[in-house]
Structures are given as C-alpha cells and as structure tokens.
Amino acid sequence: MARTAGSNGTRTLESIRKAGLRLIYRQGYEAMSLRQLASEVGIQAGSLYNHISTKQDLLFDLIRVHMEELIDRLDKTLEGVAGPSDKLDAFIRFHVEYHIARKREVFISYSELRSLEPKNYDAIVELRARYERRLIAVLDDGVAAGVFATADTTVAAFGILAMLTGVCTWFKPGGRMTKDEVIAVYTGLVRDGLARDADKPKAISPPPPPPAGGAPGA
C-alpha cells in the first residue's frame, strides 16, 4: 500500500482506510468502487493513487492491520498471566471484548477472505494461524498440567473460537445481557467443556413422582 509523506498524507490515508472499512462492511468489497471511495473521503478519484495502489491493496491492508493488532493485543493481555486456567479466562475475555468493539473489522476479515488474491490470502491465513496457536498453546499447557481434558486441543481451539466469535452476530449494547454477563456465560461453557470427568458436577436425580392419587408433597 502506497504511503504519502507528511501529516496531511497520513490523515488522508487514515480517512481512506476508515471509509473503505465502512463501505466494504456495508455493501461488500466487489460492490465498492474506487470512485465511490474517493467521493466518501472527499477527494478526486485520481488522488487515491497517491495513497493506495489498488483496491486489493486496501482490502489486504485492512485485514492485515486488524490481525496484527489482534495478535499484539492478545500477547500483551496474556503477558504475566500465570497458569492455564487464568490464561484461558483472560483469552476468553479479551476475544469477546475485542470482537464486540471491532465488529466491522472482524466481519470483513471473515467475509472478504475469499476476495483476497492468493499471496494476500496466504499471508492472512498465516496470521490467523498464529492467533489460533496462542489458544492451542494454552489448552496444551492445561492438558499437560492435568486441569483440562480434551481429545484434541486443536479441534477444541477451533470450536471455542467459533463460539466466541459468534458474539459479533447477536450481541447488542444495552440488550438483555451485559458484556460481562456474556463473558461469564462463555467462560462457564468453555470451562465445563474442558473439565476433567472427576471435576464435573454430578447430575442430581429428579425426585420420584408422587403416588398415584396422592397430592404432591403429601
């Protein structure tokens, strides 16, 4: 992606990125034109090429920056957190909070992956794999320490990520549940799914039905 030197060029580039994010989220990458993008920013279409090389470069840059920031912030979140259980809780909270806050970036990084050219696609898939490996490592440590139980940590990580990322499709600020309540539910689901059999709560048998003809509690 081309870069224009100077503060004005930096501000214009940031405006282009924000406008591109809005347009791609709203109508899709294929439907967005560079002329429309320029109009959204308030510059001539030809001036776009002082800041970006192609529409493909813009899409790749948006997804790449999103993924690199996601990984960097996760690493900072987990830094200093001891023990696989606490790391798992920290990962869940981070993932949900970040994905609620960056709904547009997350949507584009998944829905427009197919629109990337092969070399760009491969680069983004590798960044996604780096993020996934962070969670797999936490699960591996938990299994090794005897606090988690799962037949396959990679499959478990993919399942957890799919569930957590789904929050983008339904969570609404001011809705029935707060963000912290949602995080607590997800944390419980993940923890229960990874619990060893010995740690799982025993099922409580229902009380026997009352005798025929007798009133309940009689």
Side-chain angles (χ1 to χ4, degrees), residues 160-183:
I160 291 168
L161 288 169
M163 179 178 71
L164 298 181
T165 303
V167 73
C168 293
T169 65
W170 60 266
F171 180 81
K172 291 182 175 61
R176 184 174 63 85
M177 298 184 73
T178 67
K179 177 181 63 179
D180 286 342
E181 288 172 335
V182 170
I183 291 170

Side-chain angles (χ1 to χ4, degrees), residues 29-43:
Y29 170 77
E30 293 298 336
M32 184 197 74
S33 69
L34 290 182
R35 185 175 297 278
Q36 182 183 23
L37 176 62
S39 176
E40 187 87 359
V41 178
I43 62 176

Side-chain angles (χ1 to χ4, degrees), residues 63-75:
I63 301 177
R64 179 186 57 80
V65 169
H66 160 68
M67 288 303 308
E68 289 178 347
E69 185 175 351
L70 181 68
I71 294 168
D72 181 62
R73 291 198 177 190
L74 173 63
D75 288 344

Side-chain angles (χ1 to χ4, degrees), residues 53-121:
S53 300
T54 64
K55 188 169 78 165
Q56 173 68 199
D57 284 346
L58 173 64
L59 177 64
F60 175 60
D61 187 63
L62 289 173
I63 301 177
R64 179 186 57 80
V65 169
H66 160 68
M67 288 303 308
E68 289 178 347
E69 185 175 351
L70 181 68
I71 294 168
D72 181 62
R73 291 198 177 190
L74 173 63
D75 288 344
K76 290 176 179 175
T77 296
L78 296 182
E79 188 176 343
V81 179
S85 293
D86 288 343
K87 282 187 176 180
L88 179 62
D89 290 353
F91 180 95
I92 293 169
R93 173 168 288 279
F94 165 79
H95 189 93
V96 172
E97 287 183 339
Y98 188 95
H99 283 62
I100 287 175
R102 302 297 183 90
K103 184 176 180 178
R104 289 176 176 175
E105 289 91 336
V106 173
F107 177 82
I108 290 172
S109 72
Y110 280 90
S111 67
E112 297 296 351
L113 193 63
R114 66 185 185 278
S115 299
L116 292 172
E117 295 174 352
K119 66 175 183 178
N120 293 336
Y121 176 91

Side-chain angles (χ1 to χ4, degrees), residues 117-137:
E117 295 174 352
K119 66 175 183 178
N120 293 336
Y121 176 91
D122 291 343
I124 297 303
V125 168
E126 172 54 29
L127 287 172
R128 288 178 62 172
R130 283 172 54 191
Y131 185 75
E132 293 160 356
R133 288 196 291 269
R134 302 300 199 270
L135 178 55
I136 293 169

Side-chain angles (χ1 to χ4, degrees), residues 11-58:
R11 286 197 296 269
T12 301
L13 177 61
E14 187 59 26
S15 296
I16 291 170
R17 295 184 71 255
K18 289 180 178 178
L21 185 68
R22 288 194 303 270
L23 290 172
I24 296 172
Y25 177 76
R26 190 165 66 221
Q27 63 193 51
Y29 170 77
E30 293 298 336
M32 184 197 74
S33 69
L34 290 182
R35 185 175 297 278
Q36 182 183 23
L37 176 62
S39 176
E40 187 87 359
V41 178
I43 62 176
Q44 295 295 320
S47 298
L48 279 176
Y49 297 105
N50 293 324
H51 307 277
I52 64 173
S53 300
T54 64
K55 188 169 78 165
Q56 173 68 199
D57 284 346
L58 173 64

